Amino acid sequence: MPGAVEKESELSERIEAFVARLKRGGERLSSEEAARQTVGLLRKIIGHGRWGSAGELMALIRKEGKRMTAAQPSETTVGNMVRRVLKIIREEYGRLHGRSEESDQQESLHKLLTSGGLSEDFNTPYPPLRANVIEAISELLIELEGTTDNIAMQALEHIHSNEVIMTIGYSRTVEAFLKEAARKRKFHVIVAECAPFCQGHEMAVRLSKEEIETTVMSDAAIFAVMSRVNKVIIGTKTILANGALIAVSGTHTLALAAKHHSTPLIVCAPMFKLSPQFPNEEDSFYKFVSPQEVLPFTEGEILSKINVHCPVFDYVPPELITLFISNIGGNAPSYIYRLMSELYHPDDHEL
Amino acid sequence: MMAARGSGRRGAGSGEARGPDPQEEPPPPLQAVLVADSFNRRFFPVSKDRPRVLLPLANVVMIDYTLEFLTATGVEETFVFCCWKSSEIKEHLHKSKWCRRTSPNKVRIVTSDLYRSLGDVLRDVDAKSLVRSDFLLVSGDVVSNINVSAALEEHRMRRKLDKNVSVMTMIFKESSPGHRARCQEDDIILAMDSTTNRVLHYQRTQELKRFRFPMSLFQSNIETVEVRHDLLDCHISICSPQVAELFTDNFDYQTRDDFVRGLLVNEEVLGNQIHMHVTAEEYGARVSNLLMYEAVCSDIIRRWVYPMTPEMNFTDDETQSYTHSKHNIYRGAEVSLGHGSVLDENVLIGQGTVIGSNCSITNSVIGQNCKIGDEVILDGAFLWNGVHVADHVEIRQSIVCDEAEVKEKVKLNPHCVLTSQVVVGPNITLLEGTVISLHSPDEEEEDDDEFSDDSGVNKEENKVKLKGYNKAEVGSEGRGYLWKADDENEADEEEQRQNLWGPTLNPEEESETESDLSLGSEQPDSRTASPQLDDIKVFQNEVLGTLQRGEEENISCDNLVLEINSLKYAYNIGLKEVMQVLSKVVMEFPLQQLDTELDPQHYCVMLIPLLKKWSPVFKNYIKRASDHLDALSAIEEFFLEHDGLHTSIAKVLMTFYQLEILAEEMILFWFSQRDTSDKGRQLRKNQQLQKFIQWLKEAEEESSEGDQD
């Protein structure tokens, strides 16, 4: 089958290119795009890869998934999507295997405890599995496309007239959320510029184009201005398993200031950002980039005498967060564990 | 302003081009020429065991950084040219991810033992016609994360607009003087046209304190000329295929510097230009000596080259996976750290390395499978793979190559180098700048004439242990030879150190003696400087000799012109200087003949026949108005130097005028120039000169009246 070989090599080339792109910092790849591309690639692997049973397929997905996640550990959506696909395979297999949906879900603590012994084997080959899995993945892709709209739709429930809202940096989700609210209500947005990359400037420009009253301020003014603010709405890179955030650096400051003033902190994040990892498992969440923005290379002599760091992300503990707004509705941080078990299979947490 | 002009012209151009192909052709796949040989011996004796491009930089060999840079920037085909130890480079590349089928960058390896310089490589590129369009030219020791697409776009646009006038775009990085990544050896100063980014003058500073720029730079009709000394040469250039052709045409071009200088000097003749692109945010540097090795290595660890950081593992090598934690600590797999050992900051530890207890490690790189004993202090140490370090060792700012061994209680002072498999100690302190290698320094003298990294290493197997190791130098259990010019004198020692580490940047070390020494010591490549004063002096002597011969053997003026022209090219002299030198030599000619100071009358008697004889030579060079003025100022200078001859200036000028070498309006213009020195003014008060000028003016009035009639 020369055609298959060719397809396979083309596939591995595409995976290689995706991994290389992730390694090179993604060229400002948005999380949504990363999620879509990952799912798209996985669908191709399922479609063209050589596998006989669900077990083999899962091993294949795990192997490729591991490579993709390792390429850029801070891009957690890639790993999340791999886990989602694994979960889909499990479900489809279970359905073909003749198990009802009910029994598949792990409900009680008792079941969780006892399920360890009952690990099923995925070795029975089912010919329709491939088609079923691909169909389910296509549904997942459609779901991904609608996430931002789903979140924006809830805007009117949270933003009221004449409120003062603070945000930090640039987030596509928050931008859509605020724009949706602005269609009906008038409110004032204060954007912390989020040095050293100052994505806040871009956010402010985009918001003011929609005729939203916008103010940009430096990060140092967050605490001072917080007393005037009614609500803080931010985006995030990742939601961790304990309900904490890995968000753009400066967010922790913002969250602490909000807590001090008892201002509600709302996080807009699609479900694909939910990662089953816990903090402090490894330091790979922290992403340090070139110190150029903090102290430019042109500074000369001083650079050999000092160390400059430029972290991209902050860890924001769950107790500082009031509410998550995701594409499936609003949830408190304490509820994250439940969403987790719906989205991912516990066996897949470790790829 | 440039954009406006550019778009205007583009509009005109595209109007014509729209007919045949309405859609712009997609640019052809980007190619690169990677020269995996430095053609010098700066890393000697380290590079004796391994070619320079395979030396590890933060545990990844240099060529991988270069290839990753090329791939990331969108290069689809790379030609790697190897010479010294080409089989090792080939083997490495075949094993690496660059030669996998899935690699987006197709790597093709070209080897030949005949390459002796960059020029040879490019001539070969041209001979084999490997490149189809614009290509990137880099050497195998460049570390960079620059995205060249913007520069490439500019380059292509320039070539489209100006019909292939611009042949090369050099890429520079902004970095202020005194930056540690700027080694003095490669330091440059250049003049550019700030509106078009054209390079007007390019020169290595070579620790000079004063620089000379040709006046023509500032006199040409370029609006703003910028003289810049805040640039770091990344050694990345975007070249058009013409570059390879030019190397073929000019077989004496050896290096890129030769090429750049050649193009700039002959710009009027060949009509080629060089442009530049300056990046402020991205990183690019070439590891040209050990000082740069140290600087680039610590820049990688400090994440300046992001995303090319150790934990990214861009080589896809499983033994190279690292985790990154705070304070830039990178740990490979299976690293063991003893009780009480502290990794302070900026530390990279390779897979399988074992570190004993109570060690203090900071700003260091440790390779794979190293064994480090207890209570070891490493500060700025670069240990390669498989190094053994015993207890109580102290290593500061030094390089220890593969499988070397440092025994107990050895202290390495800054800038020491232990090459592969050397053993030192126990209980010895190596002085600053010590270099120890298993290869005896004597071996090297035989093949001194080789320019490349290489030398007859194969021979050395037979010669090993002709000489015992000196226990005083390497310790009682040591193995290796001290690499130093046998302590002949301080200067040699200095030179040796400079050879490996390059001149240091620290201001306190830049004492008078050092700069004297380095100026006095032989420059590694005397051709690197742009035209300098010395050239002009030599040229002057040559012209004098030519004229003397011409006088004696009665050579025709045409032949004299030919000879002077060839001298002009040989010494790289501009037209203007030729003019000045020629005038000066001719004016001094009678003085040379007789040695004694002449009286004015006698002088004129001798000079005038000479002028008559050589008037065709003058006429050949004096054409434009500026030439006239240059000649006049040279004449003036001569008379200012020889006070006794003041009175003859009128007669000399008269002769020039009568021979129609100098035009009357130019003489008048020169005379009326205000910005002269006191002496010059005095000269102008000379009675006879006044009379002559008066006469000229009258003559002019008459002639102009005549015209009116």
Side-chain angles (χ1 to χ4, degrees):
Chain A
M1 265 168 64
V5 174
E6 229 167 73
K7 262 186 185 157
E8 215 159 279
S9 78
E10 190 211 317
L11 185 63
S12 61
E13 212 165 290
R14 291 186 65 151
I15 297 170
E16 202 75 37
F18 183 64
V19 167
R21 191 168 167 212
L22 283 175
K23 271 191 185 167
R24 288 182 193 127
E27 294 142 29
R28 298 199 64 194
L29 190 73
S30 77
S31 296
E32 195 187 328
E33 225 170 287
R36 264 216 300 273
Q37 285 191 11
T38 314
V39 176
L41 265 180
L42 292 174
R43 186 168 64 173
K44 281 217 169 63
I45 292 171
I46 294 164
H48 304 306
R50 248 183 265 173
W51 50 275
S53 64
E56 280 171 35
L57 176 61
M58 280 159 69
L60 184 70
I61 299 279
R62 270 212 184 96
K63 189 180 129 246
E64 295 298 340
K66 231 180 200 162
R67 262 182 65 208
M68 289 192 235
T69 1
Q72 183 65 270
S74 70
E75 197 68 54
T76 47
T77 34
V78 176
N80 299 343
M81 286 304 105
V82 175
R83 293 183 182 100
R84 282 290 282 276
V85 169
L86 285 172
K87 166 98 171 165
I88 286 171
I89 298 169
R90 281 170 198 279
E91 276 173 4
E92 292 304 323
Y93 178 81
R95 201 169 290 150
L96 288 170
H97 209 60
R99 223 166 347 99
S100 69
E101 294 229 358
E102 291 303 309
S103 66
D104 189 40
Q105 281 183 0
Q106 318 213 346
E107 301 290 336
S108 66
L109 193 61
H110 176 73
K111 264 191 187 167
L112 269 175
L113 268 172
T114 52
S115 68
L118 295 167
S119 70
E120 46 196 331
D121 70 297
F122 289 92
N123 291 332
T124 335
Y126 289 104
L129 184 63
R130 198 185 291 250
N132 288 1
V133 169
I134 287 177
E135 196 180 320
I137 290 178
S138 304
E139 273 168 31
L140 175 63
L141 271 175
I142 292 164
E143 183 200 319
L144 287 180
E145 265 161 46
T147 46
T148 313
D149 291 337
N150 283 338
I151 294 172
M153 261 157 46
Q154 305 166 50
L156 289 179
E157 295 166 29
H158 298 279
I159 297 176
H160 306 110
S161 283
N162 299 322
E163 275 188 332
V164 178
I165 287 161
M166 187 185 277
T167 185
I168 186 166
Y170 174 63
S171 153
R172 277 164 240 257
T173 321
V174 173
E175 185 196 346
F177 192 78
L178 293 175
K179 278 182 182 173
E180 179 66 29
R183 285 172 49 198
K184 290 256 171 68
R185 309 221 160 108
K186 274 201 101 56
F187 52 92
H188 183 182
V189 180
I190 298 173
V191 186
E193 65 175 0
C194 203
F197 298 103
C198 296
Q199 307 99 312
H201 297 176
E202 194 188 338
M203 180 76 158
V205 168
R206 281 163 185 257
L207 290 179
S208 56
K209 270 189 191 144
E210 297 286 312
E211 311 271 306
I212 299 173
E213 198 185 342
T214 311
T215 310
V216 187
M217 57 165 202
S218 77
D219 299 336
I222 288 175
F223 188 81
V225 177
M226 190 56 82
S227 57
R228 286 185 53 212
V229 174
N230 300 97
K231 248 176 218 120
V232 177
I233 299 178
I234 56 170
T236 182
K237 183 80 188 168
T238 302
I239 306 168
L240 295 179
N242 64 345
L245 302 182
I246 298 291
V248 67
S249 61
T251 312
H252 195 187
T253 324
L254 182 75
L256 283 171
K259 189 79 181 170
H260 184 88
H261 288 282
S262 298
T263 314
L265 181 89
I266 296 172
V267 180
C268 292
M271 267 350 276
F272 60 75
K273 287 188 176 176
L274 178 59
S275 164
Q277 288 155 292
F278 281 89
N280 305 328
E281 274 176 1
E282 44 186 321
D283 290 321
S284 56
F285 289 121
Y286 300 104
K287 182 171 159 188
F288 288 84
V289 298
S290 163
Q292 168 72 31
E293 297 291 334
V294 182
L295 194 69
F297 194 77
T298 44
E299 282 301 323
E301 241 181 302
I302 186 116
L303 284 177
S304 42
K305 299 188 180 102
I306 54 166
N307 281 309
V308 193
H309 297 286
C310 184
V312 178
F313 298 123
D314 253 356
Y315 170 76
V316 185
E319 56 269 23
L320 300 181
I321 296 154
T322 320
L323 190 70
F324 283 105
I325 299 175
S326 73
N327 44 324
I328 52 171
N331 293 300
S334 52
Y335 193 67
I336 289 293
Y337 86 97
R338 187 75 189 81
L339 295 172
M340 191 92 68
S341 68
E342 266 172 32
L343 289 172
Y344 310 115
H345 193 276
D347 289 352
D348 297 332
H349 287 186
E350 200 72 30
L351 275 179
Chain B
M1 177 202 163
M2 193 202 145
R5 216 176 55 197
S7 64
R9 256 197 266 171
R10 181 159 44 128
S14 63
E16 300 159 8
R18 202 158 284 161
D21 57 336
Q23 274 183 343
E24 261 188 41
E25 244 178 82
L30 187 58
Q31 294 174 305
V33 170
L34 191 157
V35 185
D37 202 321
S38 54
F39 303 113
N40 64 35
R41 316 177 69 160
R42 301 293 285 106
F43 273 77
F44 229 62
V46 182
S47 59
K48 216 163 169 154
D49 304 310
R50 263 175 134 180
R52 189 201 282 194
V53 292
L54 293 189
L55 302 184
L57 199 63
N59 289 353
V60 175
V61 298
M62 287 187 202
I63 197 168
D64 283 339
Y65 286 98
T66 316
L67 284 169
E68 169 67 15
F69 152 67
L70 292 174
T71 311
T73 205
V75 172
E76 289 173 40
E77 187 175 23
T78 306
F79 298 99
V80 179
F81 287 82
C82 327
C83 177
W84 165 233
K85 297 226 169 197
S86 52
S87 55
E88 281 183 32
I89 299 174
K90 228 172 169 168
E91 198 191 324
H92 170 80
L93 288 177
H94 280 307
K95 274 194 282 179
S96 73
K97 77 165 193 176
W98 314 110
C99 283
R100 283 187 209 153
R101 262 188 318 116
T102 51
S103 168
N105 183 4
K106 299 273 170 274
V107 173
R108 304 192 199 287
I109 304 166
V110 186
T111 58
S112 164
D113 291 336
L114 299 173
Y115 300 136
R116 280 288 168 271
S117 68
L118 176 74
D120 291 341
V121 169
L122 283 172
R123 281 184 272 278
D124 202 35
V125 168
D126 188 40
K128 293 180 177 157
S129 50
L130 294 175
V131 293
R132 294 183 294 271
S133 74
D134 296 331
F135 64 99
L136 280 177
L137 177 65
V138 290
S139 61
D141 44 14
V142 166
V143 175
S144 169
N145 60 358
I146 295 174
N147 188 345
V148 296
S149 49
L152 189 68
E153 191 59 33
E154 284 171 26
H155 177 81
R156 284 184 174 145
M157 187 55 83
R158 268 195 294 267
R159 284 181 60 75
K160 217 187 219 172
L161 292 177
D162 285 341
K163 292 187 190 66
N164 304 344
V165 165
S166 172
V167 292
M168 183 156 113
T169 303
M170 297 161 87
I171 294 179
F172 295 97
K173 167 159 185 53
E174 267 182 14
S175 84
S176 53
H179 196 283
R180 80 193 130 121
R182 279 182 66 155
C183 72
Q184 292 192 355
E185 200 175 82
D186 276 338
D187 220 11
I188 48 150
I189 188 161
L190 57 77
M192 62 181 279
D193 176 351
S194 39
T195 44
T196 59
N197 281 341
R198 183 152 74 90
V199 179
L200 303 171
H201 182 84
Y202 174 92
Q203 178 180 350
R204 299 216 166 195
T205 58
Q206 301 195 306
E207 297 169 48
L208 296 173
K209 293 264 183 318
R210 307 169 74 180
F211 302 99
R212 290 180 159 263
F213 294 94
M215 274 304 280
S216 55
L217 275 186
F218 307 100
Q219 287 169 336
S220 55
N221 49 5
I222 294 166
E223 270 181 34
T224 39
V225 177
E226 264 180 72
V227 176
R228 298 190 70 161
H229 187 233
D230 65 335
L231 296 175
L232 175 72
D233 192 346
C234 301
H235 291 273
I236 300 164
S237 13
I238 303 168
C239 304
S240 62
Q242 263 168 294
V243 172
E245 287 162 24
L246 283 165
F247 267 96
T248 311
D249 294 346
N250 298 278
F251 49 85
D252 56 329
Y253 288 172
Q254 299 284 328
T255 61
R256 199 183 68 155
D257 282 0
D258 288 343
F259 173 77
V260 171
R261 202 178 51 248
L263 272 200
L264 291 179
V265 168
N266 297 325
E267 199 180 297
E268 300 140 43
V269 186
L270 296 170
N272 291 320
Q273 297 178 343
I274 294 175
H275 287 81
M276 58 193 274
H277 175 84
V278 178
T279 172
E281 302 200 344
E282 293 148 308
Y283 188 88
R286 180 180 177 202
V287 182
S288 50
N289 54 35
L290 287 188
L291 197 77
M292 282 302 282
Y293 178 90
E294 192 188 5
V296 173
C297 225
S298 46
D299 281 344
I300 292 170
I301 302 275
R302 287 163 206 231
R303 308 182 73 78
W304 282 100
V305 204
Y306 182 88
M308 269 187 242
T309 49
E311 92 277 9
M312 284 306 169
N313 189 15
F314 60 83
T315 53
D316 259 357
D317 182 349
E318 288 196 357
T319 59
Q320 293 285 3
S321 63
Y322 294 93
T323 57
H324 171 231
S325 39
K326 282 173 199 165
H327 306 294
N328 293 339
I329 310 281
Y330 304 85
R331 265 190 228 109
E334 295 159 48
V335 168
S336 115
L337 190 66
H339 181 76
S341 286
V342 180
L343 304 181
D344 205 14
E345 55 184 12
N346 305 325
V347 179
L348 173 71
I349 302 175
Q351 191 189 36
T353 288
V354 178
I355 297 171
S357 55
N358 295 322
C359 296
S360 160
I361 301 174
T362 177
N363 298 321
S364 297
V365 174
I366 301 170
Q368 294 170 11
N369 303 316
C370 292
K371 289 212 165 37
I372 292 171
D374 300 338
E375 303 192 24
V376 172
I377 298 173
L378 301 179
D379 181 2
F382 298 93
L383 312 186
W384 295 1
N385 296 341
V387 173
H388 286 239
V389 176
D391 302 346
H392 305 282
V393 170
E394 190 178 335
I395 301 179
R396 293 187 190 277
Q397 281 181 46
S398 294
I399 293 176
V400 182
C401 303
D402 288 335
E403 286 152 39
E405 195 174 343
V406 183
K407 302 242 179 209
E408 288 93 31
K409 295 185 184 153
V410 172
K411 186 174 177 204
L412 266 64
N413 280 314
H415 297 172
C416 285
V417 177
L418 305 182
T419 67
S420 185
Q421 296 175 334
V422 163
V423 181
V424 287
N427 297 320
I428 190 172
T429 300
L430 298 185
L431 295 173
E432 189 172 329
T434 311
V435 179
I436 295 178
S437 167
L438 275 191
H439 305 286
S440 154
D442 308 334
E443 285 170 25
E444 194 229 355
E445 281 159 18
E446 296 152 20
D447 38 51
D448 246 355
D449 52 338
E450 308 234 3
F451 285 107
S452 184
D453 279 337
D454 58 330
S455 53
V457 166
N458 303 329
K459 286 181 276 172
E460 105 221 1
E461 301 294 333
N462 322 326
K463 309 203 312 161
V464 161
K465 281 154 201 148
L466 283 182
K467 201 170 88 174
Y469 303 119
N470 187 344
K471 301 290 180 208
E473 288 167 358
V474 294
S476 54
E477 294 166 36
R479 295 201 307 138
Y481 299 103
L482 190 66
W483 263 62
K484 239 176 207 180
D486 291 47
D487 294 283
E488 275 172 39
N489 53 34
E490 281 293 302
D492 273 0
E493 200 171 299
E494 191 62 49
E495 201 178 292
Q496 179 71 40
R497 215 201 76 182
Q498 196 188 330
N499 270 336
L500 262 173
W501 282 94
T504 44
L505 277 176
N506 304 348
E508 66 265 21
E509 284 189 46
E510 220 175 288
S511 59
E512 276 300 299
T513 51
E514 186 175 325
S515 52
D516 281 356
L517 280 172
S518 36
L519 278 177
S521 70
E522 214 182 314
Q523 293 293 347
D525 183 0
S526 57
R527 290 163 305 172
T528 42
S530 278
Q532 281 177 353
L533 189 63
D534 291 351
D535 280 354
I536 293 181
K537 279 231 172 88
V538 178
F539 175 70
Q540 185 175 338
N541 288 339
E542 293 276 344
V543 171
L544 181 66
T546 309
L547 291 180
Q548 266 167 350
R549 245 177 324 114
E551 170 76 5
E552 282 158 19
E553 298 168 20
N554 228 348
I555 297 170
S556 82
C557 284
D558 284 352
N559 290 347
L560 282 179
V561 168
L562 213 61
E563 282 198 33
I564 293 172
N565 270 346
S566 63
L567 287 173
K568 167 179 178 279
Y569 287 116
Y571 295 99
N572 245 337
I573 309 287
L575 259 180
K576 184 182 153 131
E577 281 80 18
V578 173
M579 196 55 251
Q580 283 168 339
V581 167
L582 182 67
S583 313
K584 198 170 169 207
V585 166
V586 172
M587 301 296 289
E588 279 173 358
F589 207 79
L591 304 180
Q592 299 276 347
Q593 302 285 77
L594 287 174
D595 283 343
T596 49
E597 192 83 340
L598 291 162
D599 59 289
Q601 258 127 23
H602 203 136
Y603 175 77
C604 288
V605 170
M606 290 200 65
L607 183 68
I608 287 164
L610 290 175
L611 288 180
K612 279 190 181 143
K613 194 166 165 196
W614 288 327
S615 69
V617 180
F618 278 103
K619 277 181 190 160
N620 183 64
Y621 290 108
I622 303 182
K623 281 176 181 150
R624 294 171 298 170
S626 59
D627 301 337
H628 288 255
L629 286 179
D630 287 339
L632 279 164
S633 66
I635 295 167
E636 179 183 346
E637 206 173 296
F638 169 79
F639 280 108
L640 289 178
E641 277 170 32
H642 301 274
D643 291 341
L645 303 175
H646 268 188
T647 42
S648 53
I649 184 168
K651 228 171 190 166
V652 171
L653 285 178
M654 186 72 172
T655 319
F656 271 112
Y657 171 67
Q658 282 168 344
L659 290 169
E660 293 178 353
I661 297 170
L662 295 175
E664 60 181 42
E665 48 286 14
M666 292 326 293
I667 297 175
L668 289 175
F669 181 73
W670 163 79
F671 187 78
S672 60
Q673 264 174 348
R674 291 271 161 255
D675 51 344
T676 46
S677 61
D678 288 350
K679 255 182 142 186
R681 240 170 268 145
Q682 218 167 0
L683 181 71
R684 267 153 232 226
K685 280 184 191 139
N686 180 312
Q687 214 174 16
Q688 270 161 317
L689 184 61
Q690 297 266 18
K691 261 188 201 160
F692 170 63
I693 295 296
Q694 192 66 31
W695 180 81
L696 270 184
K697 275 184 185 157
E698 278 164 19
E700 192 188 30
E701 273 160 30
E702 268 172 35
S703 67
S704 59
E705 273 165 30
D707 285 350
Q708 276 170 359
D709 293 343

